[in-house]
Amino acid sequence: MPKNTQAQPLAGIRVVDYSHFLAGPYLGRCLAAMGAEVIKVERPKAGDAGRAHAYFIQGQSGYFLQQNMGKQGLCINLKDPRGLALMHKLTDSADVFVENYRPGALTKLGLGYDELSARNPGLVYCSISAYGHTGPDAHRAGFGLIAEAKSGIMAMVGSPGEAPPLLRVSLGDMYTGIHGVAAVCAALLGRVKSGKGQHIDLSLYDCLVSMHDYAVQCYTLSGGKDIPVQTGHDMPQSTLYGVFSASDGYLVIAAQVDDAWKRFALLIGGEALAGDTRFHTSAGRNEHRLEILALAKTWVGARTVAEVLAALDAIDVPSAKVQNIEEVLNDPQIQARNMVIEQQHPVLGAIRMPNLPFNFSGCDSPVPSVAPTMGQHNRQIAGSLGYSDTEIDALLEAGVLYTSEAI
């Protein structure tokens, strides 16, 4: 189907993004990429804490720029009754409200679900927190790192006997954020029939526990006897599947499926290894894992990464080099998929940022606007709510609306 035959999926949806750091802003960024009007609401002067997060260049936070592109900026003092009144007008006009504060914090501020939904029954209100709004830990603060540690995921990575490594990607935040996208879209769809919005309660901890594809059922179905632990560079329940060292770098090989294993075995050990019936089933390979690993490591270690990949490609065994970020950005596949976009920043000029992986057949995904400066769209947003220029000027003069210094 030709592009531009349809509006973007969320065109006409207004989202109030009153969140900070990562999970909430990422959710809002995704909704904006699908066509929603996303209004980023910040506190005067300090703003989103993500503005103070590296990587910095010329005073600009790349972290903030990445997670808040495509949004409008409103900076408002919600402790002033006039500011809260403006915020209530905004949420009355909204379809979605996103927040990631500790449970109860926004209720005290007059922005809890009960109050906002009473004013706007169709509002989809999405809360993200470390532990959720119920349970004994609901009151506790937390970040993605906390959820990653508590979820059982961290205990399974790294080498036996060593402290688990940091994952170096914000798995808890990003995974929860994309779950928020799914839940918000589902709630909007449900509203079409019911006419009512609802409260979505998402927990970083819950989302990561739900991510286990093996460990939970391994434990429960074994009657608590089998607890997955660190195994280093391969998976004992999927032989052969892991990371290997070539003479000039690292690569991964996925030859855990019977047919792939037989092709791999024939390549590295000839008919003798390919015909060894001990290794013809997954259970057999797992039982003799150390023997298989020794053979694979010797064969891979005697060759360069490029030589191994070429040999495995020729026999259709999935494999890949362990790439660094420079290699990723220069990967023709990533370039062909438009996974890096270029924006024009008023201070930095041309900047490159990671794209989102949404591709729709009926509409283009335009390059989003750069993340807003603090309060950049105060006047436009207040005007859309019925405030006159004189009233907006008074709010700006009183500090109820705050705009950072012009760039």
Side-chain angles (χ1 to χ4, degrees):
M1 182 183 294
K3 295 278 188 171
N4 295 318
T5 59
Q6 302 175 34
Q8 288 185 274
L10 295 182
I13 297 295
R14 172 173 273 191
V15 178
V16 176
D17 178 358
Y18 189 49
S19 65
H20 56 286
F21 265 126
L22 186 50
Y26 177 69
L27 192 169
R29 180 199 171 187
C30 291
L31 298 179
M34 296 181 190
E37 175 197 19
V38 180
I39 298 172
K40 172 80 176 180
V41 180
E42 300 180 78
R43 299 172 298 168
K45 298 188 178 180
D48 181 343
R51 289 187 182 273
H53 196 292
Y55 183 82
F56 291 108
I57 180 169
Q58 298 183 44
Q60 306 296 314
S61 164
Y63 187 93
F64 183 87
L65 291 175
Q66 178 175 332
Q67 302 306 335
N68 293 283
M69 63 176 71
K71 304 177 186 179
Q72 301 176 44
L74 174 68
C75 192
I76 185 170
N77 180 4
L78 293 173
K79 294 182 180 180
D80 187 301
R82 294 167 293 180
L84 183 60
L86 191 155
M87 184 67 157
H88 279 158
K89 287 186 178 182
L90 179 62
T91 57
D92 289 349
S93 74
D95 299 284
V96 179
F97 183 85
V98 177
E99 62 92 8
N100 61 348
Y101 289 86
R102 202 180 304 196
L106 293 195
T107 299
K108 296 176 183 177
L109 197 57
L111 294 173
Y113 172 68
D114 289 342
E115 181 164 354
L116 296 191
S117 64
R119 300 175 58 97
N120 179 2
L123 185 67
V124 173
Y125 187 113
C126 184
S127 296
I128 297 174
S129 59
Y131 297 98
H133 283 232
T134 58
D137 291 331
H139 66 286
R140 301 182 65 188
F143 294 90
L145 177 65
I146 308 304
E148 288 154 17
K150 287 184 68 70
S151 69
I153 292 174
M154 192 175 285
M156 298 190 299
V157 296
S159 298
E162 297 180 4
L166 289 174
L167 301 180
R168 293 302 302 272
V169 291
S170 299
L171 184 66
D173 286 287
M174 303 293 270
Y175 194 62
T176 304
I178 202 65
H179 269 6
V181 174
V184 164
C185 289
L188 288 172
L189 182 61
R191 190 181 68 171
V192 173
K193 292 184 177 180
S194 70
K196 297 180 180 179
Q198 56 186 303
H199 185 205
I200 299 166
D201 174 10
L202 282 173
S203 150
L204 303 181
Y205 190 18
D206 290 350
C207 286
L208 286 188
V209 170
S210 79
M211 194 174 191
H212 283 292
D213 64 327
Y214 174 78
V216 171
Q217 34 100 350
C218 179
Y219 177 81
T220 58
L221 298 182
S222 70
K225 297 177 182 177
D226 200 338
I227 300 178
V229 295
Q230 294 169 303
T231 59
H233 300 108
D234 75 302
M235 293 177 63
Q237 295 81 17
S238 295
T239 307
L240 180 98
Y241 188 95
V243 186
F244 296 87
S245 298
S247 62
D248 62 347
Y250 304 101
L251 67 147
V252 295
I253 301 174
Q256 81 283 18
V257 179
D258 291 347
D259 289 345
W261 160 255
K262 291 175 183 177
R263 294 193 297 274
F264 181 72
L266 184 63
L267 174 69
I268 72 169
E271 291 290 350
L273 183 59
D276 193 328
T277 57
R278 294 179 301 160
F279 308 145
H280 282 185
T281 65
S282 176
R285 289 192 296 278
N286 292 339
E287 182 181 352
H288 300 283
R289 164 177 163 260
L290 296 181
E291 182 179 347
I292 289 173
L293 283 177
L295 294 171
K297 288 178 179 179
T298 298
W299 184 85
V300 172
R303 292 161 175 80
T304 66
V305 169
E307 289 170 339
V308 174
L309 295 180
L312 296 182
D313 280 348
I315 60 171
D316 196 26
V317 169
S319 61
K321 182 181 182 182
V322 177
Q323 298 188 139
N324 62 32
I325 285 298
E326 182 178 22
E327 291 170 317
V328 172
L329 297 185
N330 290 321
D331 189 329
Q333 179 66 21
I334 289 301
Q335 294 173 350
R337 299 287 292 175
N338 195 36
M339 281 305 299
V340 180
I341 54 175
E342 184 173 295
Q343 297 175 301
Q344 291 298 319
H345 190 275
V347 171
L348 305 178
I351 58 174
R352 294 198 302 160
M353 289 282 166
N355 203 355
L356 292 170
F358 309 130
N359 291 285
F360 297 99
S361 66
C363 59
D364 286 320
S365 297
V367 174
S369 58
V370 295
T373 56
M374 214 177 303
Q376 180 178 342
H377 303 97
N378 282 344
R379 187 171 292 277
Q380 297 95 308
I381 295 167
S384 76
L385 299 174
Y387 286 83
S388 68
D389 287 342
T390 301
E391 290 171 321
I392 295 170
D393 289 339
L395 292 173
L396 288 166
E397 180 67 25
V400 176
L401 291 175
Y402 173 79
T403 304
S404 60
E405 292 183 12
I407 292 177

